[in-house]
């Protein structure tokens, strides 16, 4: 049963993403020869008015084959109906549409879950609600009411929090010194503090008390707002995580298909809501990942289009093909790396 949940999860995210590209391309009259869910050998196909809809054997991706794309050959299609034949801004809209659909899917799921649960806990403000006696925070000089403006971690991560949860994302489990920039009575102070291990709580702590969250009732009118708020908070955390990866931090936490399968199995066992929430979170991950400026991804294709706009002419075909090949190699290397990590985790369990 777990494999079915896994296939459904990936299929939903892929279909939504590729449907965004297809709808945008159709709006601009770009010829789309195939809309494929999955990669590899063809299992099923049906011909539409001009687009063939296919399901392929490996549920690890999908694509919309548009006339004018590298590797897509459709005879008899006029230039103005190819992806290269429409204006640059239309190309960018088509490329962005998949990411937008991933975010829309996540927002709809978050909003629906908040509505079904009947309420939402607003994240507490980044304000010190109290200081534990004889703690590192007390020794460092924290006071109740300090407004936390910035936290710098030893690995170079910088968090300018909108709420306290954004601090907890990186401070939980952190064992090294941190520098807090706080505002107190109109004055800005920097406070450095190193956590200590609390045997009772079995975690590293500095001794700052967190304000209570505020519970608000959800209605059909406000669930979309709170769903959007949660989506933006999660998106910011994902962007920070990508920033850390660029600096070489956090690769040990990455997972590939094997790891996602395990998480899917766990969340599905906890109930339908957990499983659907996982779909939303992974949809956000796919959206953010696709914005990276790698040529094989939407973000990279947008970057190349912007370069063409600035140059006022198309890129050299050989140069574009070379850049794309490098992007493919980088993504494949990353996939091999994360899959290897997943398998190693399985062996040590």
């Amino acid at each position: 049963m777990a494999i079915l949940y896994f296939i459904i999860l990936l299929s939903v995210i892929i279909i939504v993403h590729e449907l965004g590209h297809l709808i945008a391309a159709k709006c601009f009259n770009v010829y789309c020869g195939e809309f494929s869910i999955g990669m590899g050998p063809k299992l099923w196909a049906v011909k539409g008015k001009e687009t063939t809809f296919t399901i392929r054997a490996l549920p690890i991706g999908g694509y919309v084959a548009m006339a004018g794309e590298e590797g897509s050959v459709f005879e008899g299609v006029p230039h103005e109906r190819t992806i290269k034949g429409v204006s640059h801004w239309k190309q960018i809209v088509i490329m962005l549409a998949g990411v937008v659909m991933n975010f829309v899917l996540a927002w709809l799921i978050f909003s629906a879950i908040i509505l079904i649960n009947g309420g939402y806990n607003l994240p507490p403000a980044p304000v010190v609600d109290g200081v534990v006696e004889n703690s590192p925070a007390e020794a460092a000089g924290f006071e109740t009411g300090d407004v936390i403006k910035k936290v710098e971690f030893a690995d170079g991560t910088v968090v300018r929090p909108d709420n306290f949860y954004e601090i907890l994302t990186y401070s939980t489990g952190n064992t090294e010194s941190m520098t807090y920039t706080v505002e107190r009575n109109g004055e800005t102070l920097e406070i450095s503090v190193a956590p200590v291990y609390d045997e009772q709580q079995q975690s590293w702590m500095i001794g700052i008390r967190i304000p209570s969250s505020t519970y608000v009732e959800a209605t059909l009118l406000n669930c979309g707002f709170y769903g959007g708020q949660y989506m933006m908070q999660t998106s910011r955390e994902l962007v920070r995580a990508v920033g850390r990866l660029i600096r070489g931090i956090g690769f040990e936490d990455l997972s590939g298909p094997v790891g996602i399968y395990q998480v899917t199995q766990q969340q599905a066992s906890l109930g339908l809501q957990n499983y659907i929430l996982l779909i939303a979170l992974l949809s956000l991950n796919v959206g953010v990942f696709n914005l990276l400026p790698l040529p094989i991804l939407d973000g990279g294709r947008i970057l190349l289009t912007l370069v063409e706009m600035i140059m006022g002419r198309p890129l050299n075909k050989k140069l574009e093909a070379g850049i794309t090949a490098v992007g493919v190699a980088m993504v494949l290397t990353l996939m091999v790396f994360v899959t290897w990590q997943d398998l190693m985790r399985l062996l040590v369990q």
Side-chain angles (χ1 to χ4, degrees):
M1 196 66 180
I3 188 65
L4 179 60
Y5 288 134
F6 178 67
I7 292 173
I8 292 173
L9 177 143
L10 290 183
S11 297
V12 168
I13 294 172
I14 293 165
I15 288 171
V16 165
H17 182 91
E18 297 303 332
L19 192 59
H21 292 312
L22 181 68
I23 292 171
K26 292 283 189 181
C27 286
F28 297 132
N29 201 33
V30 173
Y31 181 89
C32 300
E34 182 181 358
F35 177 89
S36 175
I37 303 304
M39 309 293 281
K42 188 185 298 184
L43 298 179
W44 176 86
V46 61
K47 184 78 166 70
K49 186 176 180 181
E50 67 177 22
T51 304
T52 300
F53 297 85
T54 61
I55 296 177
R56 296 180 179 271
L58 303 176
I60 55 172
Y63 58 86
V64 177
M66 302 179 204
E69 283 187 315
E70 186 72 29
S72 296
V73 180
F74 299 104
E75 296 181 1
V77 178
H79 179 68
E80 62 270 17
R81 292 207 61 197
T82 68
I83 185 69
K84 295 293 187 180
V86 298
S87 62
H88 287 112
W89 75 266
K90 289 181 180 180
Q91 293 179 40
I92 291 172
V93 169
I94 292 170
M95 294 166 196
L96 269 179
V99 170
V100 170
M101 288 291 280
N102 281 129
F103 277 81
V104 169
L105 173 63
W107 172 68
L108 289 173
I109 291 175
F110 292 148
S111 302
I113 288 176
I114 289 170
L115 181 62
I116 291 168
N117 289 340
Y120 177 64
N121 286 309
L122 294 174
V127 178
V128 176
D129 197 48
V131 180
V132 177
E133 289 185 9
N134 302 317
S135 67
E138 184 183 56
F142 281 96
E143 294 183 7
T144 301
D146 285 349
V147 180
I148 301 170
K149 294 296 185 179
K150 183 173 71 173
V151 186
E152 296 181 62
F153 295 85
D155 64 9
T157 299
V158 177
V159 177
R160 292 177 173 82
D162 288 329
N163 60 70
F164 221 110
Y165 292 159
E166 293 184 16
I167 301 171
L168 291 178
T169 298
Y170 297 100
S171 61
T172 301
N174 176 65
T175 62
E176 300 182 80
S177 180
M178 300 165 279
T179 300
Y180 284 71
T181 300
V182 303
E183 188 177 279
R184 181 189 300 164
N185 300 323
E187 185 181 1
T188 300
L189 306 170
E190 283 194 356
I191 304 174
S192 294
V193 59
V196 297
Y197 190 74
D198 187 323
E199 294 288 350
Q200 185 177 359
Q201 299 292 331
Q202 294 188 342
S203 64
W204 292 85
M205 51 83 73
I206 63 172
I208 291 177
R209 299 192 189 279
I210 304 169
S212 300
S213 58
T214 303
Y215 182 81
V216 292
E217 290 189 2
T219 67
L220 195 59
L221 296 177
N222 67 18
C223 66
F225 173 78
Y226 294 127
Q229 188 180 79
Y230 184 75
M231 184 185 73
M232 292 306 298
Q233 176 190 326
T234 307
S235 298
R236 282 195 297 269
E237 292 173 3
L238 288 172
V239 170
R240 286 197 193 100
V242 170
R244 284 161 59 87
L245 289 173
I246 292 172
R247 301 201 313 274
I249 304 167
F251 277 95
E252 67 279 1
D253 298 322
L254 289 177
S255 285
V258 177
I260 295 172
Y261 173 81
Q262 286 184 291
V263 174
T264 303
Q265 189 176 26
Q266 294 166 0
Q267 295 305 307
S269 68
L270 295 174
L272 181 61
Q273 188 171 118
N274 289 72
Y275 174 67
I276 294 176
L277 181 61
L278 178 62
I279 292 176
L281 292 172
L282 288 178
S283 184
L284 272 187
N285 273 268
V286 169
V288 171
F289 180 72
N290 265 281
L291 287 175
L292 292 177
L294 295 175
I296 193 176
L297 303 176
D298 295 328
R301 295 168 67 195
I302 290 170
L303 180 61
L304 292 178
T305 303
L306 289 172
V307 169
E308 288 186 348
M309 289 178 67
I310 295 169
M311 293 172 56
R313 57 183 173 81
L315 284 173
N316 178 277
K317 292 294 183 183
K318 288 185 177 180
L319 175 62
E320 185 176 358
I323 294 173
T324 301
V326 171
V328 171
M330 292 175 68
V331 172
L332 287 177
T333 301
L334 180 62
M335 287 296 294
V336 170
F337 172 75
V338 297
T339 301
W340 175 257
Q341 280 201 149
D342 289 340
L343 293 174
M344 289 301 98
R345 292 190 191 108
L346 280 176
L347 291 175
V348 299
Q349 285 180 355

